[in-house]
């Protein structure tokens, strides 16, 4: 997920990245004007990496921190940069933890 190298992503891909249902993403689109994917002539949503980053922040605020939608909207407006930085650090720590767990398993197998 860290390497968002495509210009556009479909809603199914975004849902898989975030581990949430597509319906949740569609709901957040209605609630958060910051999320506004473009659409193809046939109506398929196309999310940019910027849209996905916004959805990651919303996911963090609502699903991880447990904020209500209105509180998440307020936080997104007044504190987006700090939340984005915090989320980046949290993701880096999860990556480090995963690497350490792999190392620990390797060491356990050697014994």
């Amino acid at each position: 997920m860290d390497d968002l190298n495509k210009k556009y992503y479909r809603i199914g891909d975004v849902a898989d990245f975030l581990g949430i249902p597509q319906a949740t993403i569609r709901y957040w689109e209605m609630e958060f004007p910051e999320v506004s994917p473009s659409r193809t002539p046939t109506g398929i949503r196309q999310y940019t990496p910027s849209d996905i980053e916004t959805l990651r922040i919303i996911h963090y605020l609502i699903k991880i921190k447990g904020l209500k939608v209105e509180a998440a909207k307020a936080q997104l407006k007044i504190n987006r940069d700090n939340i984005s930085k915090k989320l980046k650090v949290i993701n880096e720590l999860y990556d480090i933890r995963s690497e350490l767990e792999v190392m620990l398993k390797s060491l356990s197998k050697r014994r």
Side-chain angles (χ1 to χ4, degrees):
M1 173 76 180
D2 292 332
D3 294 332
L4 295 175
N5 51 13
K6 291 177 12 182
K7 190 173 181 179
Y8 296 108
Y9 294 84
R10 291 179 172 216
I11 193 169
D13 297 331
V14 177
D16 289 343
F17 290 155
L18 297 175
I20 57 175
Q22 293 179 21
T24 301
I25 295 171
R26 288 189 291 272
Y27 173 72
W28 288 348
E29 282 178 32
M30 292 186 302
E31 292 295 325
F32 295 88
E34 297 87 354
V35 181
S36 57
S38 61
R39 290 183 181 248
T40 65
T42 57
I44 297 173
R45 291 170 170 84
Q46 294 182 312
Y47 296 87
T48 64
S50 176
D51 291 328
I52 296 170
E53 180 61 25
T54 302
L55 286 167
R56 276 179 161 173
I57 292 170
I58 294 167
H59 178 266
Y60 170 74
L61 292 171
I62 293 176
K63 299 292 185 180
I64 308 298
K65 285 191 75 175
L67 297 179
K68 302 282 185 206
V69 171
E70 293 304 317
K73 284 181 188 180
Q75 285 294 308
L76 196 58
K77 281 185 183 178
I78 63 172
N79 205 13
R80 181 188 172 106
D81 288 339
N82 287 337
I83 295 168
S84 184
K85 288 175 188 175
K86 184 184 282 189
L87 188 55
K88 184 176 181 180
V89 170
I90 289 170
N91 287 333
E92 288 174 6
L93 288 172
Y94 278 128
D95 291 344
I96 291 169
R97 181 180 182 165
S98 295
E99 289 176 23
L100 289 172
E101 287 174 347
V102 168
M103 288 181 200
L104 184 61
K105 283 182 183 179
S106 295
L107 288 172
S108 295
K109 288 180 182 178
R110 294 181 107 186
R111 292 182 183 178

